[in-house]
């Protein structure tokens, strides 16, 4: 039987939501082993001087605990 844990992280990008998601996953897998899925909980954009400046995602990362 596998036991999983969920960790919430936030990632940003000046390019796109997809890039923010990829950066978050890349960073999470540097310290978390057995990452199995990611659920995008929230998406936000930052605006500066009337222009979109940054994409942000809050994601739930699910990983399986080792024995």
């Amino acid at each position: 039987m596998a036991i999983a844990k969920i960790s919430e992280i936030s990632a940003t990008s000046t390019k796109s939501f997809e890039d923010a998601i990829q950066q978050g996953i890349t960073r999470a897998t540097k310290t978390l082993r057995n990452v199995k899925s990611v659920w995008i909980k929230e998406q936000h954009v930052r605006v500066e001087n009337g222009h979109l400046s940054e994409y942000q995602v809050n994601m739930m990362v699910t990983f399986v605990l080792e024995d």
Side-chain angles (χ1 to χ4, degrees):
M1 178 170 82
I3 304 295
K5 184 170 173 107
I6 298 172
S7 181
E8 185 171 359
I9 65 170
S10 179
T12 60
S13 169
T14 57
K15 296 178 185 178
S16 66
F17 283 120
E18 184 177 345
D19 187 56
I21 292 166
Q22 186 59 59
Q23 286 190 46
I25 291 170
T26 299
R27 178 58 185 91
T29 56
K30 285 184 180 181
T31 54
L32 300 174
R33 291 187 299 275
N34 302 318
V35 171
K36 298 299 179 188
S37 66
V38 173
W39 172 58
I40 306 307
K41 183 178 174 183
E42 297 175 314
Q43 295 180 320
H44 304 276
V45 293
R46 291 203 174 92
V47 177
E48 291 182 17
N49 300 320
H51 298 284
L52 193 144
S53 63
E54 192 171 53
Y55 300 85
Q56 177 181 341
V57 293
N58 295 332
M59 60 181 87
M60 308 295 280
V61 179
T62 302
F63 56 99
V64 175
L65 299 176
E66 296 176 344
D67 290 332

